[in-house]
Amino acid sequence: MNVQKKKRGELIVLSGPSGVGKSTVIAELLSERSDIHFSVSFTTRSPRVGEADGVNYNFVTREEFERMIAGDELLEYAEYVGNYYGTSLKVIQEKLDKGIDVLLDIEVQGAAKVRQKCPEAVFIFIMPPSFEELSRRLHRRNTDSEEVIADRLTKAQQECRQIPQYDYLVVNDTVTAAAHEIIAILTAEGCRVKNRTHLIEGV
Ligand code: 5GP
């Protein structure tokens, strides 16, 4: 019986409306699962208060982003409420090849592209307990204008229509419960026989 580490990491795609609390849930998840690599996306949006370059996002200009698109450097990208967001292919490829699990926090158009390119990835959608609660959370964040908040709420409704395309649905009622549900999903995924073939080689 072979008990070596798995050969390839798992790609985990997390989507959910802006303001649903994904970043907080992800922070909680990573504090308990420090073996997961969080993919820091590239974006043309401006940093919010408290956000740091290279930590929350790699903040780049539109010209730089368009150069990356032209150079085929992105696994996926999308335009969301007037800004580009995208995932670097090189970084995640290196991690997956080393057997490290990689977490992507991306919106639904990007997730659809990943689904085409990497159908074996795990797709998880986080939804708010209600749209009223989502609106409260977006206002409480105090970072966006009324117009941007209205755009994000409309977008949230459109995004929720894509939920049937996902493998798992988590409701972010409390951060701890949502993070624990995701950990349970990842534990179960890790136990799938297809993800444990390294344990049965030669059996
Ligand atoms: P925010 O501006 O609130 O940080 O992010 C807006 C949306 O962009 C969120 O739904 C977030 O999941 C998504 N997003 C962040 N990074 C990426 C990325 O690399 N690709 C795509 N397609 N969406 C992303």
Side-chain angles (χ1 to χ4, degrees):
M1 180 79 68
N2 183 348
V3 284
Q4 62 175 286
K5 267 185 67 185
K6 61 184 177 181
K7 289 198 178 102
R8 205 171 153 73
E10 186 128 35
L11 187 58
I12 307 148
V13 176
L14 206 63
S15 300
S18 176
V20 75
K22 265 175 305 173
S23 310
T24 320
V25 171
I26 289 172
E28 175 105 0
L29 168 67
L30 297 179
S31 74
E32 297 204 28
R33 286 284 312 271
S34 54
D35 56 314
I36 296 175
H37 172 81
F38 175 68
S39 162
V40 179
S41 295
F42 287 78
T43 185
T44 57
R45 115 159 137 60
S46 312
R48 295 195 184 112
V49 176
E51 286 184 334
D53 189 30
V55 178
N56 307 88
Y57 283 105
N58 296 300
F59 296 99
V60 293
T61 61
R62 243 184 136 76
E63 292 69 43
E64 174 65 3
F65 200 100
E66 282 167 357
R67 193 199 57 71
M68 293 175 78
I69 298 173
D72 231 359
E73 293 174 28
L74 301 171
L75 167 67
E76 62 73 38
Y77 70 92
E79 201 153 6
Y80 184 93
V81 197
N83 286 299
Y84 278 130
Y85 295 83
T87 307
S88 158
L89 180 60
K90 186 164 170 273
V91 177
I92 70 158
Q93 206 67 47
E94 281 169 8
K95 299 288 175 191
L96 293 174
D97 287 347
K98 285 186 188 153
I100 298 168
D101 295 340
V102 175
L103 175 66
L104 307 184
D105 165 0
I106 62 177
E107 51 65 68
V108 296
Q109 305 166 67
K113 289 184 200 156
V114 177
R115 202 172 291 115
Q116 282 172 0
K117 291 186 181 172
C118 317
E120 71 291 352
V122 184
F123 295 87
I124 306 172
F125 194 96
I126 308 191
M127 67 181 282
S130 66
F131 281 101
E132 291 71 30
E133 178 55 23
L134 183 63
S135 171
R136 269 194 293 278
R137 288 181 192 180
L138 283 169
H139 281 95
R140 216 181 299 137
R141 192 156 75 177
N142 217 10
T143 52
D144 297 319
S145 65
E146 277 302 319
E147 199 187 340
V148 171
I149 291 179
D151 271 358
R152 286 181 187 259
L153 283 171
T154 307
K155 195 94 187 163
Q157 271 162 338
Q158 293 165 356
E159 286 177 317
C160 284
R161 291 191 203 116
Q162 301 302 315
I163 292 172
Q165 312 303 323
Y166 284 72
D167 301 315
Y168 295 97
L169 177 60
V170 169
V171 179
N172 185 16
D173 214 339
T174 74
V175 171
T176 310
H180 281 152
E181 281 194 358
I182 296 173
I183 290 168
I185 292 165
L186 299 182
T187 304
E189 284 290 326
C191 295
R192 280 182 184 271
V193 172
K194 75 172 174 63
N195 290 328
R196 293 205 143 165
T197 51
H198 58 293
L199 298 180
I200 50 175
E201 275 163 17
V203 170

